Each structure stands twice: as C-alpha cells, then as structure tokens.
Amino acid sequence: MNYDRILIRYGEMSLKGRNRKHFVTKLKKNIKFILQEYSNIGIESDWDRMYVLLNGEPAEPVISALKNVFGIQSFSPAIKTEKDIAAIRAAALHIIQQAHSPGNTFKVSARRSDKTFEYDTNGLNHAVGAHILINVEDIKVDVKNPDINLIVEIRQEAAYISGEVIQGAGGFPAGSSGKAMLMLSGGIDSPVAGYLTMKRGVGIEAVHFHSPPFTSERAKQKVLDLADKLAQYSGSVKVHIVPFTAIQETIHKVIPEGYTMTATRRMMLRITDEIRNRQGGLAIVTGESLGQVASQTMDSMYAINDVTSTPILRPLITMDKLDIIKIAEDINTIEISNRPYEDCCTIFTPPSPKTRPKLEKITHFEQKFAWDASLQEAVENTETIMVSARKKPLKDDLEDLF
Ligand code: ATP
Ligand code: MG
C-alpha cells in the first residue's frame, strides 16, 4: 500500500467567496503546470479540497514541488479507502508502520463530514487507535504532542487516511490577481520583493537595467539566475533586459552630480512604466526599503515617483534588512545576490548623492535634454528572455498561465 494521492487544503483563498471558483481554477492550472513532467498525474478539485492523484508517480518529488505553490495552505499525502472500518484500519496501520520508530507516540484525529458513517469521531479514534496499539510494538498514545498525527477523514465519497500535514506556501495562486513589473537588480532586496508580491497572487515580469560595458554578462546572468528562483513559484518569469548605457552617459553629461542618482531612477521608472504599458501590467514592484540608502528616503521617493501615477508596490518598505535577508535565505536567492557584480547604479553613483532631492530642481535639470527619443530607443532595444522553472520543453503555452 502506498500513498495514492495528495490532499490539498486551500486556506486563505477559501475566504474569498466570490472569487473562489477563479482561484481554484487557477490553482489547478498552476499545479498541473508545475507537475507536468509526471505525466500520469491527475487532479480533482471540489469546493474545499483538491486531490493530486499520483497514479503510480513517486510521492517525494511531487511533495517537494507542491511546497512552492502559492494558494496551498497545507497538504497531506493520503491513502483513499472504502468507508469500511477494516480498510481504514489497514491503511492507518500501514502509514504508522512506515513512519514509526520505537518509542514514538501517536494520536488519531478523526473527522467526519458524512454523518451517516457507522462510527462517530470518538468511536473512530478508538477503533483505529486500538488497532494500532494492538499491532505495533513500543508505541504510545499522546493526544497533546504526538510524533505522528494520524488523520482519518470520512467524506461522502470515501475515507482518506494520512500521517502528516505539510505546510504549504500560503498566499494566493500565482497570476490570479493581475500582473506587475518587478524592477529586478542583482541585489538582495528586489528578488524578495518579487517573491512577496507573487505570494499575493500577482504575476511578475522582471525589468533589469543593464549598462554594458560598465556592467558585465555576469551581472546579467545573475539576474537571470534570480528570475529562475522566482520561476520556481510561478512556472516561468519573463525578464526584460533594458540597454541603459546611453541614457546613463547622457545623465552624467547634463545633470549636476548631486542629482544624477535621482535622474537615473526617474528614467528607470519611466522605461519600466512604458514596458508595463505594453505588457498589460497594472503595477510596478521595487525592493525599496525606507531609509536604506540615499535613493530610499521619503524626499527621494517623492521626487522619483513623480514620473508616473502607476501604483508602485514596495513590499519591503518598512522591513529591517535582517528580516529581508531571512526571507532571501528561505527562498534561496541570497547566495546568488551575494555574488560580486557591478550594478549599473552603483557604478554611476556619485560619492554623495542628495538624500533630500527637490522635485522642482530635478524637473528643471531634466529640461536641458529631450529624453523621449532615448527612452523610446531603450524600450525598443529591450531584450526579452523567458526564464522557465522547467528545463525541458514545455507542453503548455506559457502565456496561458497569466
Ligand atoms: P536591491 O537589493 O534590490 O538591489 P538596494 O537596497 O540595493 O536594492 P537600490 O540599489 O537603491 O537598493 O535599488 C532600489 C530598487 O530599485 C531595487 O530594489 C530595484 O527594485 C530597483 N533597481 C535598482 N537597480 C536596478 C537595476 N539595475 N535594474 C532594475 N531595477 C533596479
Ligand atoms: Mg541594489
């Protein structure tokens, strides 16, 4: 007897009454996509559960892939049996024998949505628990803090028995809440900002500003590697690489030194907004955190934000660096972010950028040059790369996901 299915609990998205159908459909599609290399797998969904039917595919890799899927609160590998006490006991015993080592404790947590079943929850706890105690040596019951929590669920169509509840990634299914453009540098913060936004169900496309020869192919590869980590959560991430050298050089010719950083950010934001417009995105995401560096003071944000009325999401705005690093460690982006590289901004950053730039001043300085043609050119020459979590060719059309 082996696990034949994985029972998935939706969690937070179940609160969203009206949108629920949409979320469930999206989640199903995302799970299908992430598990597409396991061709025998089937997925069934109902109002409050989803089942991944293994049909002979291995449980282990499927379980680890499911841990990254947003919209799953928790999941349990389970055995389906008939609603027959002998079959339920046999499955329960099998699960305990697989998980048990001497001295372990267990409890049975029975739940019953089919109230016509011959045992009530108490009766089930006892009937199954006694069977385990009789057949397994050196095991005890501990209802408070058991090593193994055996879950027995009696539903209308069948009984499901499972030995563990695995924490899911939480949040909402990727792509269920529109699309945003993530300004992705090679630093620690922006990938974390992307991850947190994706967790709320937002589909992400990344925009990266690249200034060859001042920034190298290595710097570009770093961003693609970061996008690859983010793609583990959504299946794929489109990365727009914007050639930014010419604009940066112009900035350094025409803008006074204390304001080059502000101008650089404003140009980046204008370009990102134009790409967003073309791609049908609804917001821009950055890794800014209040007070971290000169560009992230309130005055700076005020002067930079002025170029667009598009919503800018800043998931890290009030977070401490240590908390951001903790998330970067959890999502495995930290090692990539810590690779040495040249950032287009740091290379051109003057020794002392203004921490309190004035909007009137930067708009005045920018008037010395007609930027539109250069901005347009940068957008036109942007290279778009699809980064996919799966290395082998995809069956489904990626565009389909978002
Ligand atoms: P990060 O760790 O994300 O690089 P940071 O703390 O180094 O952030 P800044 O360098 O001031 O802060 O960048 C602030 C935000 O601006 C970044 O989080 C990112 O969203 C965006 N950004 C900076 N550089 C680039 C770049 N080269 N391409 C795209 N976006 C960028
Ligand atoms: Mg940075």
Side-chain angles (χ1 to χ4, degrees):
M1 209 183 304
N2 274 322
Y3 285 127
D4 60 5
R5 63 191 51 224
I6 295 170
L7 180 164
I8 288 168
R9 302 177 191 84
Y10 306 146
E12 192 174 357
M13 65 191 243
S14 58
L15 303 173
K16 298 263 170 181
R18 228 158 27 98
N19 288 330
R20 188 175 177 124
K21 193 160 175 274
H22 169 63
F23 282 128
V24 172
T25 309
K26 199 80 201 171
L27 180 62
K28 193 169 179 177
K29 204 166 178 181
N30 293 354
I31 291 177
K32 215 182 213 162
F33 184 82
I34 233 120
L35 298 178
Q36 64 177 284
E37 63 197 81
Y38 307 102
S39 50
N40 294 323
I41 274 178
I43 303 177
E44 282 174 5
S45 58
D46 62 29
W47 183 245
D48 60 348
R49 292 291 160 84
M50 204 173 282
Y51 299 97
V52 172
L53 311 175
L54 291 169
N55 294 326
E57 298 285 1
E60 280 302 311
V62 170
I63 287 171
S64 68
L66 286 175
K67 284 181 186 163
N68 286 342
V69 179
F70 292 130
I72 298 180
Q73 193 59 32
S74 67
F75 59 97
S76 299
I79 296 174
K80 180 183 185 181
T81 73
E82 286 164 32
K83 289 194 289 182
D84 164 70
I85 194 68
I88 292 168
R89 281 172 153 170
L93 180 59
H94 177 78
I95 287 173
I96 292 277
Q97 279 164 340
Q98 299 276 304
H100 174 61
S101 45
N104 273 175
T105 56
F106 82 107
K107 79 167 180 180
V108 184
S109 305
R111 263 176 246 142
R112 204 174 60 134
S113 57
D114 174 9
K115 302 290 180 202
T116 65
F117 188 66
E118 54 176 321
Y119 291 81
D120 64 9
T121 49
N122 240 334
L124 260 171
N125 287 342
H126 284 108
V128 176
H131 187 67
I132 304 291
L133 288 170
I134 291 166
N135 289 287
V136 182
E137 276 182 22
D138 202 9
I139 194 163
K140 278 199 296 249
V141 174
D142 179 349
V143 289
K144 284 229 172 74
N145 193 19
D147 297 315
I148 307 166
N149 184 11
L150 199 64
I151 300 158
V152 179
E153 287 195 70
I154 311 292
R155 293 168 71 86
Q156 292 306 327
E157 72 288 0
Y160 297 95
I161 298 97
S162 136
E164 57 181 329
V165 176
I166 299 166
Q167 189 71 35
F172 297 103
S176 61
S177 320
K179 181 162 74 183
M181 312 309 286
L182 167 68
M183 296 180 70
L184 185 61
S185 69
I188 293 174
D189 303 326
S190 42
V192 172
Y195 164 79
L196 292 173
T197 308
M198 290 166 96
K199 188 168 178 176
R200 303 320 292 170
V202 179
I204 287 291
E205 289 188 18
V207 178
H208 176 69
F209 291 84
H210 185 48
S211 300
F214 306 105
T215 59
S216 65
E217 276 303 303
R218 271 183 320 135
K220 179 170 149 188
Q221 187 56 46
K222 188 175 180 188
V223 167
L224 296 176
D225 291 347
L226 288 169
D228 179 62
K229 291 289 176 200
L230 295 178
Q232 306 298 321
Y233 298 94
S234 59
S236 67
V237 170
K238 242 187 211 174
V239 183
H240 305 278
I241 309 271
V242 183
F244 201 47
T245 317
I247 292 175
Q248 285 201 292
E249 285 172 341
T250 311
I251 290 172
H252 283 266
K253 265 188 227 134
V254 304
I255 305 284
E257 195 177 82
Y259 274 85
T260 54
M261 193 269 306
T262 312
T264 305
R265 298 295 179 181
R266 285 165 59 96
M267 298 304 161
M268 281 183 165
L269 196 51
R270 285 183 173 112
I271 292 170
T272 305
D273 207 25
E274 176 56 24
I275 296 174
R276 174 204 62 77
N277 190 32
R278 294 183 179 201
Q279 299 292 321
L282 297 172
I284 293 170
V285 183
T286 75
E288 288 163 302
S289 170
L290 202 53
Q292 235 188 47
V293 287
S295 62
Q296 299 176 24
T297 61
M298 292 277 276
D299 298 74
S300 258
M301 270 188 263
Y302 183 80
I304 295 165
N305 211 151
D306 172 69
V307 302
T308 178
S309 58
T310 299
I312 300 186
L313 312 181
R314 300 180 176 91
L316 313 183
I317 197 69
T318 61
M319 285 174 69
D320 290 341
K321 192 75 185 186
L322 287 179
D323 296 329
I324 299 170
I325 290 174
K326 171 86 178 59
I327 301 176
E329 285 168 352
D330 289 346
I331 63 171
N332 294 317
T333 52
I334 190 89
E335 295 96 38
I336 302 172
S337 295
N338 279 339
R339 277 186 218 156
Y341 86 120
E342 333 73 28
D343 179 29
C344 69
C345 306
T346 39
I347 284 170
F348 286 93
T349 302
S352 52
K354 283 256 180 302
T355 53
R356 308 192 65 182
K358 297 277 170 289
L359 180 57
E360 316 80 70
K361 286 201 173 172
I362 184 63
T363 44
H364 169 72
F365 295 143
E366 280 180 4
Q367 278 160 15
K368 288 190 230 160
F369 186 79
W371 299 93
D372 281 359
S374 314
L375 294 174
Q376 210 54 38
E377 199 184 332
V379 173
E380 298 302 338
N381 291 325
T382 290
E383 178 192 8
T384 298
I385 300 170
M386 181 66 91
V387 175
S388 167
R390 298 276 157 259
K391 301 299 176 210
K392 62 183 198 179
L394 301 169
K395 275 185 244 154
D396 293 351
D397 182 4
L398 286 164
E399 292 295 323
D400 237 30
L401 258 183
F402 300 110

